[in-house]
Amino acid sequence: MREQPTEWMFPNVDLTIHLHRQPEGRWTGLDTTVVFGPTGQGLTSTVLHDVNGPVGRAEQILTVRPL
């Protein structure tokens, strides 16, 4: 289900990052997926990568609420 970011707030409750190697270069790419249930509790999962490929993951628990 997609929601308009101008109508909803989604503060991050926590953030955990795990790297399996040092990122190289000036940029970090984010391939992110967000899922949440009917109670508004959800999870943001991100693959972090640089020009050479994946370097780790970031996971965030979140809560989705109307503005």
Side-chain angles (χ1 to χ4, degrees):
M1 174 178 191
R2 290 188 176 254
E3 298 293 351
Q4 293 297 320
T6 56
E7 298 174 10
W8 294 83
M9 64 178 168
F10 35 91
N12 297 320
V13 179
D14 71 351
L15 169 63
T16 303
I17 297 175
H18 296 278
L19 299 176
H20 55 82
R21 68 174 175 82
Q22 181 73 33
E24 297 179 25
R26 295 180 59 195
W27 296 94
T28 300
L30 308 172
D31 184 6
T32 302
T33 303
V34 178
V35 294
F36 58 92
T39 63
Q41 295 168 320
L43 178 67
T44 301
S45 299
T46 303
V47 176
L48 306 168
H49 60 89
D50 62 12
V51 294
N52 297 314
V55 298
R57 294 193 63 87
E59 303 290 335
Q60 297 172 300
I61 297 172
L62 59 95
T63 179
V64 179
R65 302 285 181 248
L67 284 175

